Amino acid sequence: MPKFYDKVDVLKKPGWLKIRLHRTPEYAEVQQIVRKHALHTICSSGMCPNKAECWSRRTATFMILGDICTRGCRFCATRTGHPLAPDAEEPRRVAESVSLMKLRYVVVTSVTRDDLPDGGAAHWAATVRAIREQNPDAAIELDARPDLLDTVIASKPDIIGHNIETVERLTPVVRSRAKYRTSLETLRHMSRQGVATKSGLMVGLGESDDEVLQTLHDLREAGVGIVTLGQYLRPTLEHYPVAAYITPEKFEWYRLKALEMGFAYCASAPLVRSSYLAEEALQS
């Protein structure tokens, strides 16, 4: 990725973004399972600030189809390049790991695979089937893309998410190839199929309050019932710069506005990510 930004463009992180490490026996056990089964997680590849906490709670977001993305979004820490062929044994390994972790709620995401004719849809469906077979009582959430929709919907996950990521004005400079209106139509299509839909956006990229509220309105109008808002954190100096650190009070204001609009559930706080405490949304 080209180095667009210079080192002077760095804001000091406020105290509310400090992360408490959770180095527990549960954390070590999840780490061992992930390594033993050669699994990828967005927790690691996405440099998620909640990794230690979530792994200590015996939860993880599995990232299938490898750890190399064919796109290069300016906010994302996942590697970009030429990925390997899909691993046919991966769905089984993920399902076994879900069983070993004794998970009741499973989140699955993936890198974008523009190199595959079906975008990886068949692999996604195989992963859901494998999880269901070994873990019939587990709820499954997928973070899907437009090219996967019908195949993924047919696999009957409990929730399907597709992140809008940012406001419409900033989408062209922050996301790679993805379009704001396409994301809305993706979510609308899922909602019309009767699927519980979820989306998330980052703030602190330079958006205004009005733009955030308009994005929430657009998501609700598209049928989205679950939404998350979190602070954008710049993975490296080569990524898009942070324009502002949003206060916890403003995040709470966003949450209340979202609930006023009719969302069934909204998680909104500086360290919230789309999969953080995801099981709470199913209980709403």
Side-chain angles (χ1 to χ4, degrees):
M1 182 181 294
K3 295 183 179 180
F4 294 106
Y5 309 104
D6 133 357
K7 292 185 179 182
V8 300
D9 186 20
V10 179
L11 296 177
K12 183 179 179 180
K13 289 183 181 178
W16 62 76
L17 286 173
K18 290 183 179 179
I19 301 165
R20 177 172 170 260
L21 295 180
H22 297 66
R23 302 300 186 185
T24 64
E26 291 79 11
Y27 174 91
E29 185 176 355
V30 170
Q31 185 178 53
Q32 183 180 30
I33 291 170
V34 169
R35 288 176 176 173
K36 179 179 179 181
H37 291 262
L39 299 173
H40 300 295
T41 67
I42 195 63
C43 319
S44 296
S45 70
M47 299 173 63
C48 180
N50 303 306
K51 174 182 171 179
E53 179 184 356
C54 290
W55 284 21
S56 292
R57 293 174 52 250
R58 302 180 65 85
T59 64
T61 298
F62 300 101
M63 188 170 72
I64 60 175
L65 290 166
D67 63 345
I68 301 176
C69 188
T70 54
R71 298 187 184 181
C73 295
R74 295 182 184 177
F75 65 88
C76 185
T78 302
R79 290 190 297 163
T80 302
H82 300 288
L84 300 174
D87 181 354
E89 290 298 307
E90 185 176 54
R92 176 189 58 77
R93 295 200 310 274
V94 170
E96 288 179 357
S97 298
V98 169
S99 180
L100 288 170
M101 293 180 192
K102 300 180 177 62
L103 300 184
R104 292 288 185 180
Y105 194 95
V106 186
V107 182
V108 180
T109 186
S110 87
V111 292
T112 300
R113 294 296 301 262
D114 295 311
D115 59 313
L116 300 176
D118 69 345
H123 195 85
W124 274 79
T127 302
V128 174
R129 288 194 297 269
I131 293 172
R132 285 264 188 249
E133 184 176 341
Q134 291 198 42
N135 308 272
D137 296 327
I140 303 174
E141 175 183 323
L142 304 182
D143 181 14
R145 304 188 312 275
D147 50 326
L148 307 175
L149 286 185
D150 291 331
T151 300
V152 169
I153 290 171
S155 68
K156 299 187 182 302
D158 294 277
I159 295 176
I160 302 183
H162 176 71
N163 288 338
I164 198 79
E165 305 293 9
T166 188
V167 301
E168 186 169 18
R169 175 178 58 85
L170 294 174
T171 294
V173 296
V174 173
R175 303 175 73 188
S176 172
R177 297 174 58 181
K179 293 179 171 56
Y180 183 87
R181 294 292 159 182
T182 300
S183 289
L184 287 178
E185 287 308 310
T186 295
L187 291 159
R188 195 185 316 277
H189 177 77
M190 293 190 293
S191 298
R192 287 173 176 169
Q193 298 297 314
V195 177
T197 54
K198 175 179 179 179
S199 192
L201 66 153
M202 305 169 289
V203 293
L205 288 159
E207 69 291 323
S208 68
D209 287 346
D210 286 343
E211 287 177 312
V212 173
L213 295 181
Q214 182 60 54
T215 303
L216 290 172
H217 173 80
D218 291 344
L219 291 173
R220 189 71 196 102
E221 193 274 333
V224 175
I226 302 165
V227 67
T228 63
L229 294 93
Q231 171 71 52
Y232 167 64
L233 297 175
R234 190 184 197 182
T236 73
L237 291 172
E238 298 177 10
H239 288 81
Y240 200 85
V242 175
Y245 288 116
I246 310 304
T247 66
E249 292 77 15
K250 179 54 66 71
F251 274 105
E252 176 62 10
W253 185 77
Y254 287 146
R255 188 184 73 85
L256 294 175
K257 288 294 184 182
L259 295 177
E260 287 177 9
M261 291 181 190
F263 287 95
Y265 179 84
C266 175
S268 178
L271 292 178
V272 161
R273 297 297 180 264
S274 60
S275 58
Y276 179 60
L277 298 179
E279 67 275 12
E280 289 185 356
L282 198 63
Q283 300 165 4
S284 61

